Amino acid sequence: MKKTIAILLLFTSLITHAQAVRKYSNEFMNIGVDAAALGMSNAVTAFTGDVNSGYWNPAGLLKIEDSEASLMHASYFANIAQYDYAAYAKNIDDRSAWGVSLIRFGVDDILNTTQLIDSEGNIDYNRISLFSTADYGLTFSYARKMKLEGFQYGINAKVIRRIIGDFANSWGFGFDAGLQFDRNDWHFGLMLRDITTTYNVWAIDEDKFEAIQGAVEGQNQELPESTEITLPKAQLGIAKKFEFHYDYTLLAAVNLNMQFARTNDIISTDAVSIDPAIGFEFGYTDLVFLRAGVGNFQNVAQIDGSTKVNFQPNIGLGFKYKGIQVDYALTDLGDQSAALYSNIFSVKVDLSIFR
């Protein structure tokens, strides 16, 4: 039943938010990747330093010693949607590195019931067809050390492809920029997403749109606007790693996730809204890792008119052996409300082990 009404919801969403600047444009690119990071509530901007840095902060790619690959799969909305991620990164020399990653967020086998009733008003189930809707994000990353000791920067170029069956599709382009500074065991990071605003251009099949134009009275009467803009966001992070008796480590990290608009974040003004995130990783001999984090602090209105602060806890577990790392996270994946928790698995491989 949920899939049968998905097409109407998709078009209603396009029309309802038919402004050039949309608050949640390309939101699938903000869900996050890597079970290790998700287990720490995404508080990794300052210290990320592997193949997944292309997503979290491209400056961290410089910490890769050779080449790495990463894969992740997760289910979303009670298995209705599938979220997949793959990445590869390699150092160029001791001062630069590059990477590429692909994200797909999609719902497959949606029932298209727009032609269910024929011209004579009869229901004909043979007129039902299937379609898929999917969002793709392809990111090319480059990182380089700066002349100032301890500083490094990275840049992302993103290509966004969004498809709603045969009904509509769009292309989008944007850029991210990241900066990291390391001193002793302290790590600082800044990630600026969509710094030039990410611009999407939609192409809508007018014949397909006309078929559902009168499906709901008073809705879907006009074509949605053909462009949308994703506003910039920023993440500021700080982290420190503590070592105990050579075998035990504790990594503590804090992120301030900022949007330049008023939201339900715990700190919210007309100029900027801030959602803090805190993460911890306990490690033993660089072999076993336990992770925990809390974030997504939101002011939620109650029935009686009062406001309550909600937050999202996350936990995780990881194993690393001979260049292969498998991570697990239990997290309310990408959701901003009380919903079912998701089980997320990811794997990361240091490809130099095969040489």
Side-chain angles (χ1 to χ4, degrees):
M1 181 62 181
K2 294 179 181 178
K3 288 187 177 182
T4 60
I5 63 173
I7 181 174
L8 290 177
L9 292 176
L10 289 168
F11 271 100
T12 301
S13 175
L14 282 174
I15 294 174
T16 302
H17 302 285
Q19 301 294 327
V21 177
R22 295 176 185 160
K23 187 175 181 180
Y24 297 109
S25 173
N26 294 330
E27 192 67 12
F28 78 101
M29 292 294 290
N30 297 321
I31 293 176
V33 303
D34 182 28
L38 294 168
M40 297 181 65
S41 293
N42 305 343
V44 299
T45 302
F47 68 87
T48 179
D50 58 19
V51 61
N52 301 305
S53 298
Y55 177 89
W56 294 112
N57 188 339
L61 292 173
L62 283 168
K63 299 175 183 177
I64 295 176
E65 295 181 358
D66 193 285
S67 59
E68 294 181 357
S70 179
L71 295 171
M72 189 191 85
H73 172 76
S75 296
Y76 199 50
F77 295 136
N79 295 326
I80 293 177
Q82 304 302 313
Y83 183 66
D84 297 286
Y85 161 79
Y88 172 82
K90 178 178 175 55
N91 66 344
I92 300 173
D93 50 41
D94 61 350
R95 299 192 62 84
S96 58
W98 70 275
V100 61
S101 63
L102 176 66
I103 290 174
R104 180 187 187 271
F105 181 82
V107 180
D108 299 307
D109 296 330
I110 302 172
L111 296 178
N112 178 7
T113 59
T114 59
Q115 305 301 315
L116 178 62
I117 302 176
D118 62 23
S119 59
E120 297 180 357
N122 299 314
I123 296 177
D124 184 356
Y125 292 103
N126 293 322
R127 296 166 64 90
I128 296 176
S129 59
L130 300 176
F131 74 99
S132 297
T133 176
D135 299 331
Y136 298 88
L138 180 63
T139 301
F140 300 93
S141 306
Y142 176 77
R144 188 168 181 81
K145 286 185 179 179
M146 301 176 67
K147 293 183 179 180
L148 295 174
E149 184 179 357
F151 283 92
Q152 53 205 32
Y153 71 90
I155 297 174
N156 287 339
K158 301 185 295 186
V159 180
I160 307 296
R161 176 65 168 164
R162 306 185 68 184
I163 302 172
I164 305 176
D166 297 328
F167 305 93
N169 64 83
S170 78
W171 287 98
F173 303 92
F175 294 90
D176 305 329
L179 180 69
Q180 283 186 336
F181 172 67
D182 300 327
R183 178 61 56 89
N184 299 324
D185 292 326
W186 286 93
H187 309 277
F188 305 88
L190 175 65
M191 177 64 170
L192 302 175
R193 299 186 182 276
D194 305 300
I195 53 174
T196 58
T197 68
T198 295
Y199 189 76
N200 284 69
V201 178
W202 283 90
I204 300 171
D205 189 314
E206 295 189 18
D207 293 333
K208 297 284 186 180
F209 178 80
E210 184 179 352
I212 68 165
Q213 195 167 19
V216 180
E217 186 177 353
Q219 296 185 22
N220 299 336
Q221 300 303 305
E222 297 180 3
L223 282 171
E225 291 189 4
S226 60
T227 61
E228 63 177 298
I229 295 173
T230 306
L231 293 177
K233 299 181 181 67
Q235 287 89 42
L236 179 65
I238 181 172
K240 182 175 174 60
K241 192 171 187 178
F242 305 87
E243 294 188 5
F244 308 96
H245 305 293
Y246 302 101
D247 291 333
Y248 302 94
T249 60
L250 176 63
L251 177 64
V254 177
N255 252 38
L256 296 179
N257 304 310
M258 294 173 279
Q259 299 184 60
F260 301 102
R262 181 178 288 276
T263 68
N264 289 332
D265 290 341
I266 191 172
I267 302 172
S268 182
T269 68
D270 290 335
V272 63
S273 297
I274 302 175
D275 168 30
I278 304 171
F280 298 94
E281 178 186 78
F282 176 78
Y284 173 68
T285 65
D286 200 32
L287 178 66
V288 180
F289 304 92
L290 295 174
R291 305 182 181 97
V294 61
N296 196 20
F297 291 88
Q298 300 286 303
N299 292 312
V300 179
Q302 305 299 300
I303 296 178
D304 61 3
S306 62
T307 300
K308 179 182 177 182
V309 176
N310 280 4
F311 59 88
Q312 175 187 322
N314 304 289
I315 58 174
L317 179 67
F319 299 94
K320 182 179 179 181
Y321 182 69
K322 292 186 176 180
I324 300 177
Q325 182 170 328
V326 179
D327 296 296
Y328 163 78
L330 180 63
T331 175
D332 188 358
L333 178 62
D335 194 82
Q336 304 259 336
S337 63
L340 296 177
Y341 276 69
S342 301
N343 296 288
I344 304 164
F345 293 90
S346 66
V347 60
K348 182 178 65 176
V349 180
D350 182 348
L351 298 178
S352 64
I353 65 174
F354 298 108
R355 294 192 180 91

